């Protein structure tokens, strides 16, 4: 019995040695696996460095394929490790069964007593010692490889990110932070939905549970709030209580929305709902504008008008119609005023009915001798007769404007207002065209009507073509041939900003020439300068 006992002890010791050898093989397999893992980590690091380099060169096409190969290699390696581990475990179990038999293996597993316990303790001690040695060796190799990997990563960071190693926060920490934030938000919302709030409705405090809306507040208050009605375009009731359910003021904000959210401490004032007007179709048409002349003065400024808007509505429920003026028309306006030149002593000489071959030339010479500029309101027919004289006026720096084409000759020669709209427009536009034909460019939009006649009808018709119609402050009446002295006295009576009416065509203008020859030096000595109409129009209107 003792001999068999010693033999069993020997057998157990041999089994123990074999199991230790198996354990060492396992440890070696683990170490090899750690080496392979480190090799894969190094390969991934190199792949990442190569990918960054390729991205910088714009070569992204094959990065996905390389990453896929690396990942497939990792998966294959994991499968291989699992298979090798299973084979090792299977080999160990088969060795035990073959060596001792199933009964002996079971007996070894079930042994008891002091010797068996001693062997077990020895096994554990030897196994732990072996494991410790292997782990120590593996740790040393792992530390060396880990240091190399960290050095490689640090060098990569310094090379690609400006020097310092880049710290990469673990993804699981970011995930945990996101989960915590979402959880806090959900808890806050849940508490808001569960906890009651206190609101004041029409001066009385109420506690709201569940939904916190204006509708629940009104229900909690029990106030008899009546909804509005649906009414037609003309104010007839089409359906009772089909309007707004209520009108609420929540902390100064008006709403008729039942789902309008409330918060703790809100103050709500509720009244009956407003009526709702039925939907409708609408057609808009223009409202014609007229013309208005306002003010008093020698300058007549034209301003464009604007049509109004009339909307005709047809109710979709009632079929009723309603007309509503959406926008009122704005009339064409002629604003008359005088010019305020302030401290500047400027006046504007104007000459009508030219050009004429004899008198216009004399006027031009007198103006040049006195450094004076003037404005010539010319007749289109005379422009066609004396184009060279018109050119001389323009070359001397004077302003050229139309005085109509033929001075309203078809209706008596004094008032184009006696013509129809087409005739009025033709007189002015045709006169402007003769100027353009001689001088080129666009003719001035400053004009003077024959006889100085201007009506609202004329303003209405001519506004698209004329910006300013020019009257006068001083009429020399030279066309009546009162004598050079009378004309001279009118000229020298001018004040700053005045417009003086003279003629260089349309008859004998020798008296005008003589008076002008005397008046200009006199006025110049008094400190006056002589400007064109455009220059005078730069000054503001008198108060």
């Amino acid at each position: 019995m003792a001999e068999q006992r010693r033999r069993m002890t020997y057998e157990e010791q041999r089994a123990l040695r074999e199991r230790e050898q198996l354990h060492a093989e396992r440890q070696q397999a683990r170490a090899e696996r750690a080496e392979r893992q480190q090799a894969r980590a190094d390969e991934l690091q190199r792949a990442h460095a190569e990918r960054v380099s390729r991205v910088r060169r714009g070569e992204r096409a094959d990065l996905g394929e390389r990453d896929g190969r690396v990942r497939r290699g990792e998966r294959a390696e994991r499968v291989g490790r699992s298979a090798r581990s299973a084979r090792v475990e299977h080999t160990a179990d088969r060795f035990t069964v073959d060596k001792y038999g199933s009964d002996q293996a079971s007996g070894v597993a079930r042994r008891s007593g002091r010797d068996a316990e001693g062997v077990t303790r020895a096994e554990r001690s030897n196994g732990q010692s072996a494991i410790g040695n292997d782990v120590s060796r593996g740790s040393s190799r792992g530390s060396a490889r880990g240091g190399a990997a960290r050095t490689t990563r640090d060098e990569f960071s310094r090379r690609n990110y400006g020097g310092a190693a880049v710290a990469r926060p673990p993804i699981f920490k970011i995930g945990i932070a996101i989960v915590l934030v979402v959880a806090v938000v959900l808890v806050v919302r849940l508490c808001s939905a569960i906890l009651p709030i206190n609101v004041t409705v029409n001066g009385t405090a109420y506690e709201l549970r569940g939904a916190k809306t204006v509708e629940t507040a009104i229900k909690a208050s029990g106030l008899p709030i009546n909804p509005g009605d649906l009414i037609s375009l003309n104010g007839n009731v089409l359906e009772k209580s089909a309007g707004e359910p209520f009108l609420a003021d929540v902390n100064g904000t008006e709403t008729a929305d039942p789902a309008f959210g409330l918060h703790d401490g809100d103050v709500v004032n509720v009244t009956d709902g407003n009526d709702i007007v039925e939907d409708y179709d609408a057609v808009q048409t223009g409202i014609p504008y007229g013309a208005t002349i306002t003010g008093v003065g020698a300058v007549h400024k034209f301003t464009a008008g604007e049509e109004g808007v009339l909307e005709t509505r047809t109710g979709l429920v009632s079929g009723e119609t309603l007309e509503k003026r959406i926008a009122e028309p704005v009339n064409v306006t002629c604003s008359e005023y005088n010019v305020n030149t302030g401290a500047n002593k400027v006046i504007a000489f104007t000459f009508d009915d030219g050009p004429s071959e004899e008198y216009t030339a004399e006027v031009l010479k007198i103006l040049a001798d006195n450094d004076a500029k003037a404005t010539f309101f010319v007749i289109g027919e005379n422009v066609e007769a004396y184009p060279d004289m018109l050119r001389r006026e323009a070359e001397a720096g004077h302003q050229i404007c139309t005085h109509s084409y033929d001075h309203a000759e078809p209706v008596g020669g004094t008032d184009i207002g006696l013509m129809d709209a087409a005739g009025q427009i033709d007189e002015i536009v045709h006169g402007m065209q003769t100027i353009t034909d001689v001088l080129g460019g666009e003719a001035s939009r400053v004009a003077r009507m024959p006889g100085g006649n201007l009506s609202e009808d004329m303003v209405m018709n001519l506004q698209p073509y004329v910006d300013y119609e020019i009257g006068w402050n001083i009429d020399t009446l030279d066309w009546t041939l009162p004598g050079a002295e009378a004309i001279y006295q009118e000229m020298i009576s001018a004040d700053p900003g005045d417009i003086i009416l003279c003629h260089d065509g349309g008859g004998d203008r020798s008296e005008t020439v003589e008076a002008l020859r005397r008046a200009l030096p006199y006025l110049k000595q008094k400190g006056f300068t002589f400007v064109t109409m455009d220059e005078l129009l730069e000054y503001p209107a008198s108060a």
Side-chain angles (χ1 to χ4, degrees), residues 208 211-218 258-262:
L208 300 184
K212 283 82 172 179
T213 63
V214 173
E215 183 178 32
T216 57
I218 295 174
F260 189 92
L262 298 179

Side-chain angles (χ1 to χ4, degrees), residues 321-332:
T321 60
L322 176 69
E323 290 187 345
K324 185 176 181 62
R325 295 170 77 94
I326 303 301
E328 294 297 327
V330 178
N331 285 349
V332 172

